[in-house]
Amino acid sequence: DIQMTQSPSLLSASVGDRVTLSCKASQNIYKYLNWYQQKLGEAPKLLIYYTNSLQTGIPSRFSGSGSGTDYTLTISSLQPEDVATYFCQQYNSWLTFGSGTKLEIK
Amino acid sequence: QIQLVQSGPELKKPGESVKISCKASGYTFTDYAMNWVKQAPGNGLKWMGWINTQTGKPTYADDFKQRFVFSLETSASTAYLQINNLNIEDTATYFCTRYYTGGFDYWGQGVMVTVSS
């Protein structure tokens, strides 16, 4: 099974900051990587698919990058409504989620 | 608009069974696979598997090959998750989610299943 490791587990940042979340796969996943945002008490929401494609309706401050085993979600200017837990998910071999990064406002 | 509407919360005793529904609307039900995802309290997301909505064939992730059953009522655009012989570790929120080109683009609101004696 492919393991997905996210870091950090908790991130505190200020409004307007550029924020970077990391996701590392246990083997090459060939960019088959999605990112989800989950706000408290809600279902997850797809933000980014296939490493860097922005899902319809998602603000352009969200972007994704990466290749091989290392992937990144970037929020260019953190907004209060971005407080949430962010999960990566690989679909190169079956499907696996990372353990999540909880993002809060400092 | 596209919606996945799940059934309500459940409180069960160990050893009992539960059947959760997920009704789809706003799209052709058989055009997209339906997946199930488990989220234990305070925990992350765990993919349980999926069901082919055209053939009804289920595929289970390794940890969900026993006691878990995916099924369909295609005429009602509804998918079901049944969990048999419930135990405490099954206490979680269960989401149905539509699969599209590798990602889950629409989600149900989730069903909280509590298993307690």
Side-chain angles (χ1 to χ4, degrees), chain A residues 14-82:
Chain A
S14 300
V15 172
D17 282 355
R18 181 180 181 87
V19 171
T20 301
L21 286 64
S22 296
C23 178
K24 186 175 182 66
S26 58
Q27 62 191 73
N28 192 339
I29 57 171
Y30 304 97
K31 295 191 174 185
Y32 292 113
L33 189 284
N34 302 324
W35 289 95
Y36 298 85
Q37 176 194 66
Q38 187 178 30
K39 296 183 178 180
L40 196 63
E42 297 183 4
K45 177 192 293 184
L46 179 63
L47 298 177
I48 302 281
Y49 62 95
Y50 193 58
T51 294
N52 56 16
S53 296
L54 194 66
Q55 176 70 349
T56 303
I58 301 302
S60 59
R61 65 179 180 275
F62 291 92
S63 64
S65 63
S67 62
T69 61
D70 295 305
Y71 298 84
T72 298
L73 174 70
T74 299
I75 307 173
S76 60
S77 177
L78 185 65
Q79 301 301 304
E81 61 266 31
D82 300 335

